Amino acid sequence: MARLVFLVVFITMLTILMSRGEAQDVTTWAKRVDTGKEVVTTLHFYFHDVVSGSNPTAVRIAQASQTNSSLTGFGLVNMVDDPLTIGPDPNSKLVGRARGIYGSAGQNEFGLLMVMSYGFLDGIYNGSSFSLLSINPALNPVREMSIVGGTGLFRLARGYAIAQTYSLDPTTGDAVVAYNVTLNTYI
Ligand SMILES: *[C@@H]1O[C@H](CO)[C@@H](O)[C@H](O)[C@H]1NC(C)=O
Ligand SMILES: *[C@@H]1O[C@H](CO)[C@@H](O)[C@H](O)[C@H]1NC(C)=O
Ligand SMILES: *[C@@H]1O[C@H](CO)[C@@H](O)[C@H](O)[C@H]1NC(C)=O
């Protein structure tokens, strides 16, 4: 009997503790799972790259003499400050910004070298960032990129991003990209 009472009290306390842990993290675009050895965080957000119009989020900062005659735009470099939102609609909730540089790094095949910091603003992730360094064959519908570090909750992060083009305007080059990110950290 005493054992049963103990078990019931223990399970109740565990449930309360677990629900408290969840209550702290109200973000729907991110999920943290503590495996005991490491924390595995999965993120899902949309990246908005606007190259056209009067208020672009990605601007050309350099190019090579052969860039315009290259089929892959080889040598083009853009500086980027792209919003990251919860949904594909650019007016959906802002959860962070991807800032950095991408440049056309393929002579025969289109590939962007991404050197970017993805910084977050929402919930417990406010102030945390991860750094992505990878070739992005952006014309492929789905591509994988490596994540090499981070700050805040993403200190010592290692991981990868799966990016999938959600929409691409062929005339302007404006794109919306869905990201699924997996990060392993110790905290
Ligand atoms: C290349 O094309 C861009 C965009 O059309 C233009 O702004 C730039 O002046 C061109 N550069 C050269 C070297 O022709
Ligand atoms: C994120 O942190 C900054 C700086 O601490 C703060 O000003 C801002 O209000 C925070 N934003 C949210 C959504 O909590
Ligand atoms: C990204 O994650 C969502 C939600 O789990 C899933 O539906 C989608 O298929 C994933 N996309 C890719 C390209 O793996």
Side-chain angles (χ1 to χ4, degrees):
M1 188 62 193
R3 267 196 187 173
L4 189 67
V5 170
F6 174 76
L7 201 67
V8 169
V9 169
F10 180 75
I11 289 173
T12 310
M13 279 176 67
L14 202 68
T15 313
I16 291 170
L17 282 174
M18 282 170 70
S19 60
R20 266 198 200 160
E22 278 164 17
Q24 283 171 359
D25 181 7
V26 292
T27 45
T28 54
W29 56 279
K31 199 171 141 217
R32 273 165 72 80
V33 176
D34 193 338
T35 66
K37 269 173 78 184
E38 287 191 314
V39 177
V40 180
T41 309
T42 47
L43 310 175
H44 182 61
F45 55 81
Y46 291 81
F47 168 102
H48 301 267
D49 196 53
V50 181
V51 293
S52 71
S54 56
N55 197 14
T57 62
V59 294
R60 184 180 293 213
I61 56 167
Q63 64 189 51
S65 52
Q66 69 267 45
T67 294
N68 284 2
S69 55
S70 159
L71 283 175
T72 59
F74 184 57
L76 172 68
V77 180
N78 275 3
M79 183 65 78
V80 181
D81 184 354
D82 281 353
L84 306 174
T85 62
I86 213 162
D89 180 347
N91 298 316
S92 63
K93 185 180 181 189
L94 182 77
V95 296
R97 305 195 75 87
R99 296 188 294 174
I101 289 172
Y102 63 71
S104 181
Q107 290 199 68
N108 304 311
E109 281 168 45
F110 184 72
L112 298 172
L113 173 65
M114 308 272 287
V115 185
M116 309 262 284
S117 173
Y118 291 67
F120 296 92
L121 304 163
D122 191 40
I124 60 167
Y125 303 98
N126 190 9
S128 297
S129 70
F130 67 76
S131 297
L132 182 147
L133 176 63
S134 221
I135 291 286
N136 177 6
L139 298 179
N140 294 359
V142 178
R143 51 273 178 197
E144 178 178 352
M145 295 178 278
S146 60
I147 291 166
V148 294
T151 67
L153 282 177
F154 303 141
R155 273 185 192 170
L156 294 177
R158 5 192 253 304
Y160 59 94
I162 305 289
Q164 182 169 26
T165 304
Y166 176 83
S167 64
L168 171 66
D169 184 324
T171 11
T172 60
D174 294 349
V176 178
V177 182
Y179 272 69
N180 285 353
V181 171
T182 302
L183 294 170
N184 283 27
T185 54
Y186 299 102
I187 52 173

